[in-house]
Amino acid sequence: MLNIVLFGPPGAGKGTQSQMLVEKYSLVHLSTGDILRGEVSAGTPLGLKAKALMDAGSLVPDDVVIGMIDNKLTQHKGAAGFIFDGFPRTVPQAEALDALLAKHATNISHVLALEVGERELVARLVLRGQSSGRADDNEETIRKRVHEYNTKTSPVADFYKQQGKYVGIYGIGAVEEIAGKLNKAIAGTKVH
Ligand code: B4P
């Protein structure tokens, strides 16, 4: 299986690049942000709980997102592989993902990290906010999301560096150019 974690701060291009990778490698796309937004618009109890946290730019509790991923892995048993977009976002989530994949006799092939500086992230998301209608795409909340990333998510990079799976990719430039760099990194991936 080819299991890719697409890693990076909010606005780094994870969602954008996931679309390209999903088509090219026939992977199942698991975006915890998209799944949570689906719960919010369906008005489920989980969605109601998550909405306030997401609108404030805070992370949703680990047990909630881990449970969502566990369900999806079971639902898509037999898939060629997965692309994890926006998950894991904390070290406990990364540990849980390793355990869940082990249960399915597989593991993470590569962690592809889009590296983009804060000024560019804020500019991209403010621009998206003008058309997305997303309550969290305003400057104050974007800066809170970047702060959450710096404090809670960036340690996940070290977790994967210790496993020798982390590949940093410069994330500024044309979308196709960055996709090319991701494809090159995947070509060097050991597939289990
Ligand atoms: P997400 O939906 O994951 O949102 P995100 O980090 O902002 O990234 P997104 O994928 O949307 O943006 P992208 O970088 O593609 O999370 C939202 C919230 O959900 C979180 O704040 C949290 O509350 C919650 N959540 C989700 N997962 C969680 C978890 N695991 N644990 C706890 N809580 C969780 O793109 C951004 C913009 O940049 C786009 O407009 C795009 O067009 C543009 N762009 C992309 N590539 C570009 C390029 N090369 N050049 C210029 N612009 C580019």
Side-chain angles (χ1 to χ4, degrees), residues 8-18 31-34 36-37 50 53-62 65-66 68-69 85-90 93 114 120-121 124-125 127-129 134 136-137 145 148 171-176 178:
K14 303 183 296 291
T16 307
Q17 294 297 334
S18 288
S31 158
T32 39
D34 285 351
L36 287 167
R37 278 185 289 279
L53 291 164
M54 293 171 79
D55 287 356
S58 305
L59 293 183
V60 171
D62 286 340
V65 285
I66 292 165
M68 286 176 356
I69 291 291
D85 163 9
F87 179 88
R89 260 177 158 93
T90 63
Q93 289 182 22
L114 295 169
E120 170 76 10
L121 299 174
R124 284 183 189 181
L125 293 174
L127 187 71
R128 183 173 70 181
R134 265 178 65 167
D136 59 346
D137 279 346
R145 286 156 65 195
E148 286 278 272
I172 296 182
V175 169
E176 296 72 21
I178 296 161

